[in-house]
Amino acid sequence: MVDEFDRRILTILKNDCDVPLKEIGKKVGLFSASAISKRINKLKEDGIIKNRLHSWIMRN
């Protein structure tokens, strides 16, 4: 289930998928890069995020 944090993350990534995890965390109110990474991975596993983000996650 996509919650408000996930929606904010998706909005940020939709506009710029090169934003560092820490910056995303600050913008959405989750200050752990690990928490952001876990949410992004879950969105990917659920098929909500596809393709390009995989290489983005690997770079961060």
Side-chain angles (χ1 to χ4, degrees), residues 2 17 21 25 41 43 45-46 48 52:
V2 177
C17 68
L21 296 175
N41 285 331
L43 291 166
E45 288 171 11
D46 292 347
I48 296 168
R52 182 162 194 298

Side-chain angles (χ1 to χ4, degrees), residues 13-27:
L13 294 176
K14 183 174 79 170
N15 293 322
D16 180 3
C17 68
D18 291 324
V19 178
L21 296 175
K22 286 185 178 185
E23 188 175 332
I24 294 171
K26 289 177 185 177
K27 289 181 177 185

